[in-house]
Amino acid sequence: MTENAILLRRQKESFIPIEGNDSLLSSYLRRTDRAVHALFDQRGLKDHGNGHYSYLARPITMVRWEVIPSLSFHTEHPAAFYQDPVDFRLVLDSCELAGNERWSVVGQNLTFHCEASIGASRGGVRARAYAATTIRPSGWLQMIPAVVIHELATPVVDWVLSRLLTRCEKSLRKDMENWLQKEPAVVTS
């Protein structure tokens, strides 16, 4: 029997107004450790060096399961010649979703990808988040129609995107504003 994969992709964007010099905002975002630490709770974050990190999140409820996400990700700083400037990119390398025995069937058949791009812009910071999941129904998942799986996965992916953007809008913004207050003003001519 051929397995049909179900793919779900979503993207969200947010503009975060921050008063400050664009080059200083860009400088902050290129300070990888600082930006990553502002985005993630320090209790679950581990720095593996060279822009690679892992993060063990607190349990979250997905549909009706308690799931514990374990993320492995790296950061990138794209070249300045991009048409759409990005100072900081966070790329998910792997995501393990641990849960109870019933969840293991879902977890074994689920692949998740996420990426966030953040760039200084006039008057603030633009944050974009992209998430995709691929589900390969096997085991008891084959009994669930693809449309139902898609409908159940949609709010989960939307939650992930909203959570990521909320962290940008709140904790990253707060840290950037604190950092800007301590940095000497740069005069550009």
Side-chain angles (χ1 to χ4, degrees):
M1 184 174 180
T2 306
E3 294 181 25
N4 292 325
I6 301 163
L7 177 64
L8 175 64
R9 290 182 221 167
R10 296 290 235 219
Q11 182 173 323
K12 289 189 178 186
E13 183 175 325
S14 179
F15 181 76
I16 305 157
I18 300 174
E19 288 186 33
N21 181 305
D22 296 353
S23 63
L24 279 178
L25 293 174
S26 183
S27 176
Y28 170 92
L29 291 169
R30 291 186 176 274
R31 299 174 81 129
T32 302
D33 287 342
R34 179 109 190 197
V36 169
H37 287 191
L39 286 170
F40 292 94
D41 183 349
Q42 299 309 295
R43 291 172 285 187
L45 183 66
K46 289 186 183 173
D47 185 345
H48 299 286
N50 296 324
H52 289 81
Y53 300 86
S54 61
Y55 181 69
L56 182 62
R58 288 183 274 158
I60 59 171
T61 302
M62 286 187 161
V63 186
R64 39 180 275 199
W65 295 284
E66 284 291 309
V67 177
I68 303 170
S70 176
L71 312 174
S72 175
F73 62 93
H74 70 275
T75 57
E76 299 174 351
H77 298 284
F81 60 82
Y82 277 103
Q83 187 176 15
D84 190 19
V86 171
D87 294 303
F88 173 77
R89 183 173 286 135
L90 186 144
V91 181
L92 184 66
D93 296 317
S94 69
C95 176
E96 293 180 25
L97 302 169
N100 63 19
E101 188 177 305
R102 288 183 151 207
W103 169 259
S104 67
V105 173
V106 177
Q108 292 168 359
N109 294 291
L110 179 71
T111 305
F112 190 73
H113 178 74
C114 185
E115 186 175 298
S117 299
I118 306 168
S121 180
R122 174 160 280 171
V125 171
R126 185 162 309 284
R128 288 189 183 108
Y130 163 83
T133 187
T134 304
I135 304 166
R136 291 178 176 76
S138 67
W140 59 264
L141 282 179
Q142 290 177 333
M143 297 183 295
I144 301 174
V147 68
V148 172
I149 292 174
H150 191 275
E151 288 301 311
L152 291 173
T154 299
V156 173
V157 172
D158 285 342
W159 181 86
V160 169
L161 292 176
S162 294
R163 183 76 178 136
L164 187 54
L165 289 177
T166 297
R167 284 183 177 262
C168 288
E169 292 166 354
K170 292 185 178 177
S171 57
L172 183 68
R173 178 185 186 172
K174 181 180 177 183
D175 193 60
M176 288 180 87
E177 288 173 339
N178 289 339
W179 184 79
L180 285 169
Q181 287 178 358
K182 294 175 185 173
E183 285 299 304
V186 173
V187 177
T188 58
S189 27

